[in-house]
């Protein structure tokens, strides 16, 4: 059984990947998507979204990182996949699940689920170009506005060369609205011969148990649930391994918040950093009552020294 950290644009960047993988339980993670249009991207683009490539394509905790590409041109995707491999990517992942309107309008992400023939062509071209020892995987939703074509899309991806599929168990139109239709993950696994991961609406250990029962698959990818409960993967791994684990309390989480802030200050401008911290703390409010109080204090704060004080961090350490 594998537990993966989902790629989420504008949220799970290298800083949050670093912090969350420190907690444990995560077997691998994925970059935010790297958008491929009509040209070979410069190496700097990969370095910006996947700086872990400089350290063996893994986080500081030693968790492997996959590089995710998004686009619709098979040849251009293949060329960029080759470059990613040359830069150190151990796995190439392809995005067919992003529901963002701007992405779909430019013919990327979930809109391609309307064209299973194109999905197959993309996988075939990327698989042909990428060195044989480097796996190519894919993430998909159940469809654009209906799951009726989900099995055709899954087959197109698997037969095109995807060695693994992650199925976000909602359509593009569903967005992130509950429920996730885990029963469709079971249907996908029935028709493809490659491992299938379930993704969507797993916020708690109990959600994971129900997802496993309904989907029938062991492997899981966690997104917002893990961001809002940083030890969720650790809880699941502990149950999987039959060991005891005491969930993290707010006191245990605070050092991670301070670490996140320190890295944000080092990598972002004083104008950007507070917003990124607020974004994460806002998601933590789903799990921790203390996060509600902290977010209330942070909400309108833009001064970095004051932010550091609110999370109990000496200003000198946060500068």
């Amino acid at each position: 059984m594998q537990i993966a950290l989902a790629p989420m644009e504008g949220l799970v960047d290298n800083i949050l990947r670093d912090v969350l993988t420190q907690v444990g339980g995560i077997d691998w993670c994925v970059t935010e998507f790297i958008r491929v249009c009509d040209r070979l991207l410069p190496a700097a683009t990969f370095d910006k979204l996947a700086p872990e490539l400089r350290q063996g394509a893994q986080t500081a905790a030693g968790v492997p990182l996959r590089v995710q590409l998004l686009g619709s041109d098979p040849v251009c995707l293949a060329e960029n996949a080759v470059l990613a491999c040359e830069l150190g990517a151990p796995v190439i992942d392809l995005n067919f699940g992003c529901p963002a309107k701007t992405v779909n309008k430019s013919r990327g992400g979930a809109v391609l689920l309307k064209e299973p023939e194109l999905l197959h062509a993309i996988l075939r071209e990327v698989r042909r170009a990428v060195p044989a020892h480097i796996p190519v995987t894919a993430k998909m939703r159940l469809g654009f506005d209906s799951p009726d074509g989900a099995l055709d899309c899954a087959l197109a991806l698997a037969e095109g060369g995807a060695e693994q599929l992650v199925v976000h168990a909602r359509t593009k139109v569903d967005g992130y609205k509950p429920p996730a239709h885990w029963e469709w993950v079971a249907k996908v696994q029935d028709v493809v011969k490659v491992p299938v991961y379930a993704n969507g609406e797993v916020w708690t250990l109990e959600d994971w148990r129900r997802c496993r029962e309904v989907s029938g698959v062991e492997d899981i990818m966690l997104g917002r649930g893990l961001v809002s409960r940083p030890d969720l993967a650790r809880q699941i791994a502990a149950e999987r391994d039959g060991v005891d684990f005491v969930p993290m309390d707010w006191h245990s989480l605070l050092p991670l918040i301070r670490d996140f802030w320190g890295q944000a200050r080092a990598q972002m401008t004083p104008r950007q950093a507070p917003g990124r911290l607020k974004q994460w703390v806002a998601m933590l409010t789903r799990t921790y009552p203390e996060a509600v109080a902290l977010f209330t204090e942070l909400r309108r704060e833009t001064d970095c020294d004051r932010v550091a004080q609110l999370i109990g961090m000496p200003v000198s350490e946060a500068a």
Side-chain angles (χ1 to χ4, degrees):
M1 175 192 168
Q2 295 271 295
I3 303 170
L5 170 59
M8 288 174 279
E9 185 195 19
L11 178 60
V12 182
D13 59 2
N14 66 294
I15 299 174
L16 197 51
R17 288 193 296 267
D18 178 80
V19 171
L20 292 177
T21 55
Q22 287 179 40
V23 179
I26 300 169
D27 293 296
W28 51 270
C29 54
V30 192
T31 65
E32 300 167 86
F33 67 73
I34 297 173
R35 190 186 300 233
V36 175
C37 294
D38 57 359
R39 63 189 176 95
L40 184 64
L41 296 169
T45 299
F46 291 88
D47 186 66
K48 179 180 179 180
L49 289 173
E52 294 97 331
L53 292 175
R54 296 182 230 136
Q55 53 193 42
Q58 59 183 15
T59 68
V63 175
L65 175 77
R66 302 181 179 188
V67 172
Q68 186 179 84
L69 304 179
L70 176 147
S72 59
D73 184 312
V75 173
C76 201
L77 281 165
E79 292 173 349
N80 281 277
V82 169
L83 175 58
C85 295
E86 292 171 352
L87 293 172
V91 179
I92 296 297
D93 187 62
L94 297 166
N95 181 318
F96 304 108
C98 180
K101 289 182 179 179
T102 53
V103 170
N104 291 174
K105 283 181 180 179
S106 60
R107 213 173 174 219
V111 72
L112 297 183
L113 296 168
K114 295 179 177 182
E115 304 179 67
E117 299 86 358
L118 180 56
L119 300 184
H120 184 272
I122 290 171
L123 261 295
R124 185 184 62 227
E125 197 67 33
V126 173
R127 178 63 279 173
R128 184 182 298 158
V130 165
H133 69 280
I134 294 181
V136 177
T137 62
K139 187 178 184 195
M140 60 174 282
R141 282 181 174 248
L142 296 178
F144 190 82
D145 52 11
S146 165
D148 292 346
L151 303 186
D152 289 337
C153 289
L155 280 168
L157 294 171
E159 292 175 358
E163 297 177 38
Q164 190 180 86
L165 296 179
V166 174
V167 179
H168 184 147
R170 287 181 273 229
T171 66
K172 183 274 179 193
V173 172
D174 289 336
Y176 294 96
K177 299 189 297 289
H181 304 286
W182 297 322
E183 67 277 8
W184 275 93
V185 178
K187 295 178 182 180
V188 169
Q189 185 64 90
D190 283 344
V191 301
V192 299
K193 297 177 181 179
V194 299
V196 174
Y197 282 63
N199 174 234
E201 215 60 27
V202 176
W203 299 91
T204 66
L205 190 59
E206 179 55 35
D207 289 338
W208 168 71
R209 294 183 186 122
R210 290 190 296 106
C211 177
R212 183 176 58 171
E213 180 180 355
V214 174
S215 71
V217 302
E218 291 292 324
D219 300 321
I220 188 85
M221 176 175 275
L222 304 172
R224 294 174 302 152
L226 185 55
V227 175
S228 62
R229 191 182 300 269
D231 65 344
L232 180 57
R234 187 97 178 267
Q235 291 182 35
I236 293 171
E239 180 153 323
R240 172 196 66 193
D241 299 337
V243 299
D244 293 330
F245 176 72
V246 178
M248 294 177 68
D249 58 14
W250 182 250
H251 179 75
S252 302
L253 183 60
L254 275 173
L256 296 179
I257 293 174
R258 292 168 185 149
D259 184 9
F260 179 94
W261 176 244
Q263 293 192 54
R265 284 290 286 115
Q267 297 182 37
M268 299 177 184
T269 67
R271 185 173 181 178
Q272 294 171 322
R276 292 310 296 269
L277 180 65
K278 293 173 196 177
Q279 181 187 36
W280 187 29
V281 173
M283 296 198 70
L284 292 172
T285 61
R286 184 181 178 107
T287 305
Y288 301 93
E290 297 92 339
V292 178
L294 177 58
F295 182 72
T296 300
E297 293 184 297
L298 287 173
R299 191 167 193 170
R300 292 181 174 81
E301 190 58 67
T302 57
D303 181 78
C304 289
D305 289 347
R306 178 60 180 153
V307 169
Q309 292 171 355
L310 288 172
I311 61 174
M313 189 174 183
V315 172
S316 59
E317 291 184 22

